[in-house]
Amino acid sequence: IQYDLDDLFERGFRTKNGSIRTPQSIQSYATLATIIFQTNQNEQHGGQAIPAFDFFMAEGVRKTFRKHLKTLTEFYIEVEGKEPGTEALKKIEEKAYAMTRKDTHQAMEGFIHNLNTMHSRGGNQVVFSSINYGTDTSPEGRMVIRNVLLATEAGLGNGETPIFPIQIFRVKEGVNYNPGEPNYDLFKLAIRCSAKRLFPNFSFVDAPFNLQYYKEGHPETEIAYMGCRTRVFEDRWGEKTSIARGNLSFSTINIVKLAIECMGIEDEKQRIDMFFAKLDNILDITAKQLDERFQFQKTAMAKQFPLLMKYLWVGAENLKPEETIESVINHGTLGIGFIGLAECLVALIGKHHGESEKAQELGLKIVTYMRDRANEFSEQYHHNYSILATPAEGLSGKFTKKDRKQFGVIPGVTDRDYYTNSNHVPVYYKCTALKKAQVEAPYHDLTRGGHIFYVEIDGDATHNPSVIESVVDMMDKYNMGYGSVNHNRNRCLDCGYENADANLEVCPKCGSHHIDKLQRITGYLVGTTDRWNSG
């Protein structure tokens, strides 16, 4: 059914005084979530995430169950002419539960379908959306988690893998991580779903830099991530939470270029000292640039963002239409990103952090220095500065091309079409997943503006989901904040046949050459690389 979403929003969820009317069923909750996603996409740049999807949707499930319970009870009284006894009440509850479960599944199916078909006014693109879930142990919350996973596993239409929302399962010991815990069955289902659909990703509440804020029974204290890595939590000006906040801007530093400019210095200590001097200078410039951008952003008025700056950001409800948004957006973060730590280290000392312990020590020193300066900038400018492990969708090729033109081809530095994203071990360096985890894990604590750990596996994970689980265990063991497992998923566009053969060109079931080769690139699920740059 094609809705006029703006009209539906106005008629269905706003009262005469402009406030949002409380939805009365799980279908309404799911529909409202998609409408908010789409409407808000027209008021901001970048992606959005629902921080506690299971907790928020659970109230819709409760209302649905009560509605069915009431309707069935009234029907019984009308037919039988008396109040239901114990046995009758038991059957009514069972029937109401079954009806609620069906409604919840349909609501989650519709939610996922809508987010893969509804386009924003920004152009021919679906809304960039993410949802976090996994820790609500109530019957209603569990029903939401189970059915969003089942709907994702089933896929869209002819078995197509949903591209959005990016789904993030929150792992928490005592809640869902070990046998016997309330949501352990849902954790296992999440593993199975990820083995087939690449989602959900996994976040870790028990990572020390996340756990320090956690309070049992308070979902607002549980970490939430957005998209391929964005993390928003710490706030100098209010409650530390991911709810009702966001990242305002981020700028990425080309630390590879800084290192290349120091390569002519023969003495290694002097070379590294010169690099840090250059880094120090560019950090000052970046912090100033972000503050100047904030000074412009803060001049916008609340009425320019009728949803975002009235309902969604912390403190927005207190703004008058003609007031500026400064007090609200200063709860957000300003991110200082970096690209190419691996190539930077090769330029400085000849090896990257995946192949040398000495390089790893220097890499951690560099990112720690950036983290410490970000804390200083927070004091200096009175904003929430943080360090981001940049995903570099465009910069991975852009910076490299510029540096190669200026400095020529430098082996191990500018001799490829890309610089390695942030602090990752280079994809061209072959090592075990364990080695990769040991190297990358310490950077998660330093990059609280956003981080992720990826592992690429061969073969068909659907037949061996325990491989996914072993990687998740490894992420948890090494105190990572957020991670995901990548593997090939091929689907015949004519008959729906799926497998994981990276070389598949012809469908073995129907002979079709129309093969969709799904892969994950910097967090996005895509079936073709035609629209991406060479980097």
Side-chain angles (χ1 to χ4, degrees):
I1 300 172
Q2 182 63 47
Y3 292 106
D4 180 334
L5 290 164
D6 289 332
D7 180 60
L8 179 65
F9 190 89
E10 290 297 330
R11 291 187 296 106
F13 297 110
R14 284 197 190 278
T15 62
K16 289 182 179 179
N17 67 6
S19 62
I20 294 182
R21 180 185 296 127
T22 304
Q24 295 300 313
S25 68
I26 183 58
Q27 289 95 336
S28 298
Y29 271 73
T31 301
L32 181 58
T34 59
I35 292 170
I36 289 173
F37 264 139
Q38 189 193 39
T39 304
N40 190 57
Q41 191 72 75
N42 301 315
E43 298 186 16
Q44 69 161 59
H45 171 76
Q48 309 163 63
I50 298 179
F53 185 75
D54 42 358
F55 287 94
F56 297 153
M57 292 291 117
E59 185 60 28
V61 176
R62 291 185 193 101
K63 291 179 178 179
T64 300
F65 179 73
R66 291 176 194 143
K67 180 183 70 175
H68 287 316
L69 201 61
K70 181 175 183 290
T71 301
L72 291 170
T73 302
E74 289 175 348
F75 180 74
Y76 179 91
I77 293 172
E78 182 180 336
V79 172
E80 298 293 332
K82 63 178 181 179
E83 296 282 340
T86 304
E87 280 301 312
L89 276 175
K90 183 179 179 182
K91 290 181 179 180
I92 288 172
E93 288 179 359
E94 289 174 352
K95 180 64 174 175
Y97 179 85
M99 294 169 70
T100 302
R101 182 174 56 194
K102 181 179 179 181
D103 287 349
T104 303
H105 187 76
Q106 289 178 337
M108 294 302 102
E109 280 185 323
F111 176 74
I112 292 170
H113 184 271
N114 282 335
L115 288 178
N116 284 275
T117 55
M118 294 193 328
H119 289 189
S120 69
R121 289 198 187 100
N124 187 28
Q125 182 177 354
V126 295
V127 178
F128 192 98
S129 53
S130 304
I131 56 174
N132 295 258
Y133 58 79
T135 54
D136 189 344
T137 58
S138 71
E140 299 86 355
R142 283 175 47 79
M143 188 176 287
V144 170
I145 299 166
R146 180 176 300 280
N147 283 284
V148 75
L149 285 168
L150 290 174
T152 303
E153 187 179 45
L156 305 168
N158 191 25
E160 182 181 355
T161 295
I163 304 302
F164 288 111
I166 291 178
Q167 299 183 33
I168 303 153
F169 188 94
R170 295 199 277 208
V171 178
K172 177 71 184 77
E173 194 165 343
V175 176
N176 56 29
Y177 188 43
N178 299 304
E181 294 175 350
N183 284 1
Y184 178 69
D185 58 328
L186 299 177
F187 171 68
K188 298 291 282 189
L189 178 59
I191 294 290
R192 191 181 82 191
C193 184
S194 187
K196 184 174 184 180
R197 299 298 180 192
L198 287 86
F199 290 144
N201 301 342
F202 297 89
S203 65
F204 299 89
V205 182
D206 289 320
F209 47 88
N210 293 331
L211 185 62
Q212 62 179 316
Y213 305 112
Y214 173 77
K215 295 179 182 177
E216 186 176 353
H218 293 269
E220 71 276 9
T221 66
E222 296 180 16
I223 190 65
Y225 287 80
M226 191 286 293
C228 66
R229 68 193 64 205
T230 304
R231 178 187 181 276
V232 177
F233 205 91
E234 290 81 8
D235 184 5
R236 297 163 57 82
W237 316 114
E239 183 181 359
K240 293 175 175 58
T241 181
S242 300
I243 296 176
R245 299 176 58 234
N247 179 260
L248 298 171
S249 310
F250 77 86
S251 297
T252 294
I253 297 173
N254 182 0
I255 59 174
V256 186
K257 182 180 181 181
L258 303 181
I260 293 172
E261 292 172 343
C262 301
M263 288 182 70
I265 301 174
E266 290 189 12
D267 183 81
E268 185 178 281
K269 183 180 183 305
Q270 291 180 3
R271 185 164 62 246
I272 293 172
D273 287 345
M274 177 59 73
F275 168 81
F276 273 97
K278 287 178 174 288
L279 178 62
D280 201 50
N281 179 58
I282 202 70
L283 283 166
D284 281 327
I285 294 172
T286 306
K288 186 172 186 291
Q289 180 262 330
L290 286 167
D291 174 64
E292 289 183 355
R293 190 170 179 179
F294 177 90
Q295 299 307 322
F296 175 76
Q297 289 173 315
K298 77 177 187 181
T299 64
M301 290 184 287
K303 67 180 182 181
Q304 295 175 251
F305 312 92
L307 181 64
L308 182 66
M309 288 298 152
K310 187 170 183 179
Y311 297 105
L312 300 187
W313 269 65
V314 59
E317 70 279 2
N318 300 319
L319 291 179
K320 293 182 174 65
E322 302 293 330
E323 286 186 312
T324 69
I325 62 175
E326 178 181 6
S327 63
V328 169
I329 65 171
N330 208 30
H331 289 286
T333 61
L334 299 172
I336 299 176
F338 63 95
I339 186 174
L341 180 65
E343 290 78 14
C344 168
L345 293 169
V346 172
L348 288 175
I349 62 173
K351 293 182 182 295
H352 60 70
H353 53 325
E355 56 186 349
S356 162
E357 186 60 40
K358 178 182 176 182
Q360 169 73 336
E361 291 177 5
L362 179 56
L364 289 171
K365 183 179 178 181
I366 291 170
V367 181
T368 299
Y369 186 80
M370 295 178 70
R371 189 274 315 273
D372 292 344
R373 288 304 317 274
N375 291 339
E376 291 175 9
F377 296 141
S378 296
E379 295 286 341
Q380 179 181 347
Y381 291 100
H382 304 291
H383 302 316
N384 293 310
Y385 282 93
S386 60
I387 299 299
L388 170 75
T390 298
E393 290 94 338
L395 288 181
S396 59
K398 183 178 179 180
F399 275 163
T400 316
K401 191 177 295 184
K402 284 188 173 185
D403 291 348
R404 187 188 297 128
K405 184 177 180 180
Q406 181 175 353
F407 302 107
V409 176
I410 304 172
V413 182
T414 63
D415 55 347
R416 292 178 172 81
D417 285 337
Y418 57 89
Y419 288 152
T420 301
N421 289 11
S422 59
N423 51 251
H424 294 314
V425 172
V427 294
Y428 52 80
Y429 180 70
K430 301 303 179 185
C431 66
T432 64
L434 175 62
K435 171 68 173 178
K436 188 175 190 290
Q438 291 169 335
V439 172
E440 293 186 18
Y443 294 94
H444 281 220
D445 186 18
L446 301 172
T447 53
R448 297 196 189 183
H451 45 243
I452 197 165
F453 174 73
Y454 284 124
V455 166
E456 300 275 344
I457 64 171
D458 296 324
D460 193 342
T462 58
H463 300 305
N464 193 10
S466 61
V467 173
I468 306 289
E469 186 170 359
S470 67
V471 175
V472 172
D473 287 342
M474 184 174 64
M475 295 177 195
D476 178 75
K477 176 182 177 182
Y478 286 101
N479 293 322
M480 293 181 183
Y482 185 34
S484 188
V485 183
N486 297 338
H487 48 92
N488 294 319
R489 292 303 299 162
N490 304 317
R491 187 176 71 91
C492 174
L493 295 176
D494 292 330
C495 73
Y497 172 82
E498 289 186 295
N499 78 4
D501 182 2
N503 300 312
L504 183 69
E505 299 296 337
V506 180
C507 175
K509 185 176 179 181
C510 72
S512 172
H513 287 76
H514 301 138
I515 307 297
D516 179 37
K517 295 188 174 183
L518 192 70
Q519 54 193 312
R520 196 194 318 261
I521 300 179
T522 64
Y524 308 84
L525 297 189
V526 296
T528 175
T529 58
D530 295 345
R531 292 179 294 169
W532 292 78
N533 60 54
S534 60

